[in-house]
Amino acid sequence: MSGKEKPAIAVSACLLGQRCRYNGEIKPWSGVAELEKSFRIIPVCPELLGGLPVPREPSEISGDRVITRSGKDVTNAFVTGAEKTLESVKRNGCVAALLKERSPSCGRGLVHNGLFDGGMVSGNGIAADLLERNGIPVFGESQIQELLKGIAL
Ligand code: SF4
């Protein structure tokens, strides 16, 4: 028998180098190897789970809606993607999520302000918010040390 199985954690797929960012860029995050020492990684991309394509227009949260730069309302896709992300988190028994900061889906604590001018406001992305409201601790990628200290392994 092997030792205790590592706990599962949901991670934004773009941080893992998957091609799911709005502009199609691949940008792997340098913290993945450290995370993998302690966790079994479950990739999630709420926007793709919500049916959005790659590439796609950038979107920002504006009031209770999510709007693309050209003004299209994509709230329903974001909500569907958040619900499917929560399903995956529950199905895989994830103890936490580590999500891409500032995204209108994945951001926690700070997101773009809805004006597409680079400004930020306090708040959560749609998926990060749903996970938190369902008791899943959400961390941004700059909080990996807090995550490693905070979760009982
Ligand atoms: Fe990355 Fe989240 Fe945006 Fe998907 S929705 S590309 S996982 S930040």
Coordinates of all heavy atoms in Angstrom, one line a residue, residues 11-16 18-23 25 43-49 52 54 56 78 85 98-107 127, ligand 1:
V11 N -7.2 24.0 -9.7 CA -6.2 25.1 -10.1 C -6.7 25.6 -11.4 O -7.1 24.9 -12.4 CB -4.8 24.5 -10.2 CG1 -3.8 25.6 -10.7 CG2 -4.3 24.0 -8.9
S12 N -6.6 26.9 -11.6 CA -7.0 27.6 -12.9 C -6.1 26.9 -14.0 O -4.9 26.9 -13.9 CB -6.7 29.1 -12.8 OG -7.6 29.7 -12.0
A13 N -6.8 26.4 -15.0 CA -6.1 25.7 -16.1 C -5.0 26.6 -16.8 O -4.0 26.1 -17.2 CB -7.1 25.2 -17.1
C14 N -5.3 27.9 -16.8 CA -4.3 28.8 -17.5 C -3.0 28.8 -16.7 O -1.9 28.9 -17.3 CB -4.8 30.2 -17.7 SG -5.4 31.0 -16.3
L15 N -3.0 28.7 -15.4 CA -1.8 28.7 -14.6 C -1.0 27.4 -14.8 O 0.2 27.3 -14.6 CB -2.2 28.7 -13.1 CG -2.8 30.1 -12.6 CD1 -3.2 29.9 -11.2 CD2 -1.8 31.2 -12.8
L16 N -1.7 26.4 -15.3 CA -1.0 25.1 -15.6 C -0.5 25.1 -17.0 O 0.0 24.0 -17.5 CB -2.0 23.9 -15.4 CG -2.6 23.9 -14.0 CD1 -3.8 22.8 -14.0 CD2 -1.6 23.5 -13.0
Q18 N -2.3 25.6 -19.8 CA -3.3 25.2 -20.8 C -3.7 26.4 -21.6 O -3.7 27.6 -21.1 CB -4.5 24.5 -20.2 CG -4.1 23.2 -19.5 CD -5.3 22.4 -19.1 OE1 -6.4 22.7 -19.4 NE2 -5.1 21.4 -18.2
R19 N -4.1 26.2 -22.9 CA -4.4 27.3 -23.8 C -5.9 27.7 -23.6 O -6.7 27.3 -24.4 CB -4.1 26.9 -25.2 CG -4.2 28.1 -26.2 CD -3.9 27.6 -27.6 NE -4.2 28.7 -28.6 CZ -5.4 28.9 -29.2 NH1 -6.4 28.1 -28.9 NH2 -5.5 29.9 -30.0
C20 N -6.2 28.4 -22.6 CA -7.6 28.7 -22.3 C -7.7 30.2 -22.0 O -8.9 30.7 -21.9 CB -8.1 27.9 -21.2 SG -7.1 27.9 -19.7
R21 N -6.7 31.0 -22.0 CA -6.8 32.4 -21.8 C -7.5 33.1 -22.9 O -7.5 32.6 -24.0 CB -5.4 33.1 -21.7 CG -4.7 32.7 -20.3 CD -3.2 33.2 -20.4 NE -3.0 34.5 -20.9 CZ -3.0 35.6 -20.1 NH1 -3.1 35.4 -18.8 NH2 -2.9 36.8 -20.6
Y22 N -8.1 34.2 -22.6 CA -9.0 34.9 -23.6 C -8.2 35.2 -24.9 O -8.8 35.1 -26.0 CB -9.6 36.2 -23.0 CG -8.6 37.3 -22.9 CD1 -8.5 38.3 -23.9 CD2 -7.8 37.4 -21.8 CE1 -7.6 39.3 -23.9 CE2 -6.8 38.4 -21.8 CZ -6.8 39.4 -22.8 OH -5.8 40.4 -22.7
N23 N -7.0 35.5 -24.8 CA -6.2 35.8 -26.0 C -5.4 34.7 -26.6 O -4.6 34.8 -27.5 CB -5.3 37.0 -25.7 CG -4.3 36.7 -24.6 OD1 -4.2 35.5 -24.1 ND2 -3.5 37.6 -24.1
E25 N -3.0 33.1 -25.4 CA -1.6 33.0 -24.9 C -1.5 31.8 -23.9 O -2.3 31.6 -23.1 CB -1.2 34.2 -24.2 CG -0.6 35.3 -25.0 CD -0.2 36.5 -24.2 OE1 0.1 36.3 -22.9 OE2 -0.1 37.6 -24.7
P43 N -7.4 20.5 -12.9 CA -7.5 21.8 -13.7 C -8.9 22.2 -13.9 O -9.8 21.3 -14.1 CB -6.9 21.4 -15.0 CG -6.3 20.0 -14.9 CD -6.9 19.4 -13.7
V44 N -9.2 23.5 -13.8 CA -10.5 24.0 -14.1 C -10.4 25.3 -14.8 O -9.5 26.1 -14.5 CB -11.4 24.3 -12.8 CG1 -11.8 23.0 -12.1 CG2 -10.7 25.2 -11.8
C45 N -11.2 25.5 -15.9 CA -11.3 26.8 -16.5 C -12.8 27.1 -16.6 O -13.5 26.6 -17.5 CB -10.7 26.8 -17.9 SG -11.0 28.4 -18.7
P46 N -13.3 28.0 -15.7 CA -14.7 28.3 -15.7 C -15.2 28.8 -17.0 O -16.4 28.5 -17.4 CB -14.8 29.3 -14.5 CG -13.7 29.1 -13.7 CD -12.6 28.6 -14.6
E47 N -14.4 29.6 -17.7 CA -15.0 30.3 -18.9 C -15.1 29.2 -20.0 O -16.1 29.3 -20.7 CB -14.1 31.5 -19.3 CG -14.3 32.6 -18.3 CD -13.3 33.8 -18.5 OE1 -13.0 34.1 -19.6 OE2 -13.0 34.4 -17.4
L48 N -14.2 28.3 -20.1 CA -14.4 27.2 -21.1 C -15.5 26.3 -20.7 O -16.3 25.9 -21.5 CB -13.1 26.4 -21.3 CG -12.2 26.9 -22.5 CD1 -12.0 28.4 -22.5 CD2 -11.0 26.1 -22.6
L49 N -15.6 26.0 -19.4 CA -16.8 25.2 -18.9 C -18.1 25.9 -19.2 O -19.1 25.2 -19.3 CB -16.6 24.9 -17.4 CG -15.5 23.9 -17.0 CD1 -15.3 23.9 -15.5 CD2 -15.9 22.5 -17.5
L52 N -17.5 29.2 -23.5 CA -16.8 30.3 -24.3 C -15.6 29.7 -25.0 O -15.0 28.8 -24.6 CB -16.4 31.4 -23.3 CG -17.5 32.2 -22.6 CD1 -17.0 33.1 -21.5 CD2 -18.3 33.0 -23.7
V54 N -11.8 29.9 -27.3 CA -10.5 30.6 -27.3 C -10.1 30.8 -28.7 O -10.1 29.9 -29.5 CB -9.4 29.6 -26.7 CG1 -8.1 30.2 -26.6 CG2 -9.9 29.1 -25.3
R56 N -11.2 34.7 -27.2 CA -12.5 35.4 -27.0 C -12.3 36.8 -26.6 O -11.1 37.1 -26.2 CB -13.3 34.6 -25.9 CG -12.6 34.5 -24.6 CD -13.3 33.6 -23.6 NE -12.6 33.4 -22.4 CZ -11.6 32.5 -22.2 NH1 -11.3 31.7 -23.2 NH2 -11.0 32.3 -21.1
F78 N -20.7 32.9 -17.8 CA -19.9 32.9 -16.6 C -20.6 32.2 -15.5 O -19.9 31.5 -14.7 CB -19.6 34.4 -16.2 CG -18.4 34.9 -17.0 CD1 -18.4 35.1 -18.3 CD2 -17.2 35.2 -16.3 CE1 -17.3 35.6 -19.0 CE2 -16.1 35.7 -16.9 CZ -16.1 35.9 -18.3
T85 N -17.7 24.5 -12.5 CA -16.5 24.5 -11.7 C -16.8 23.9 -10.3 O -16.0 23.1 -9.8 CB -15.9 25.9 -11.6 OG1 -15.6 26.3 -13.0 CG2 -14.6 25.9 -10.8
L98 N -6.9 27.1 -6.1 CA -5.9 28.2 -6.3 C -6.1 28.7 -7.7 O -6.0 28.0 -8.7 CB -4.5 27.6 -6.2 CG -3.4 28.7 -6.3 CD1 -2.3 28.5 -5.3 CD2 -2.8 28.8 -7.7
L99 N -6.6 30.0 -7.8 CA -7.2 30.5 -9.0 C -6.4 31.8 -9.4 O -5.9 32.5 -8.6 CB -8.7 30.8 -8.8 CG -9.6 29.6 -8.4 CD1 -11.0 30.1 -8.3 CD2 -9.4 28.5 -9.4
K100 N -6.5 32.0 -10.7 CA -5.8 33.2 -11.4 C -6.3 34.5 -10.8 O -7.5 34.8 -10.9 CB -6.0 33.1 -12.9 CG -5.4 34.2 -13.7 CD -3.9 34.0 -13.8 CE -3.2 35.2 -14.5 NZ -3.0 36.3 -13.6
E101 N -5.4 35.3 -10.4 CA -5.8 36.6 -9.8 C -6.3 37.6 -10.9 O -5.9 37.5 -12.0 CB -4.6 37.2 -9.0 CG -4.3 36.4 -7.8 CD -3.0 36.7 -7.2 OE1 -2.1 37.3 -7.8 OE2 -2.7 36.1 -6.1
R102 N -7.3 38.4 -10.5 CA -7.8 39.5 -11.2 C -8.8 39.1 -12.4 O -9.3 40.0 -13.0 CB -6.7 40.4 -11.8 CG -5.9 41.1 -10.7 CD -4.8 42.0 -11.3 NE -3.8 41.2 -12.0 CZ -2.8 40.6 -11.5 NH1 -2.6 40.6 -10.2 NH2 -1.9 40.0 -12.3
S103 N -9.0 37.8 -12.6 CA -9.9 37.4 -13.7 C -11.3 37.6 -13.3 O -11.7 37.4 -12.1 CB -9.6 35.9 -13.9 OG -10.8 35.2 -14.4
P104 N -12.2 37.9 -14.2 CA -13.6 38.0 -13.9 C -14.3 36.7 -13.5 O -15.4 36.7 -12.9 CB -14.2 38.6 -15.2 CG -13.3 38.2 -16.3 CD -11.9 38.2 -15.6
S105 N -13.6 35.6 -13.8 CA -14.1 34.3 -13.3 C -13.4 33.9 -12.0 O -13.9 33.5 -11.0 CB -13.9 33.2 -14.3 OG -14.8 33.3 -15.4
C106 N -12.0 33.9 -12.1 CA -11.2 33.3 -11.1 C -10.6 34.2 -10.0 O -10.1 33.7 -9.0 CB -10.0 32.6 -11.8 SG -10.5 31.2 -12.8
G107 N -10.7 35.5 -10.3 CA -10.1 36.5 -9.3 C -10.7 36.4 -7.9 O -11.9 36.2 -7.8
A127 N -16.7 32.6 -10.5 CA -16.5 31.3 -10.1 C -15.8 31.3 -8.7 O -16.2 30.5 -7.8 CB -15.6 30.5 -11.1
Ligands
SF4_1 FE1 -7.7 31.1 -16.5 FE2 -9.9 31.2 -15.1 FE3 -9.6 32.7 -17.2 FE4 -9.9 30.1 -17.5 S1 -11.4 31.5 -16.6 S2 -8.5 31.4 -18.6 S3 -8.8 29.4 -15.7 S4 -8.4 32.9 -15.4

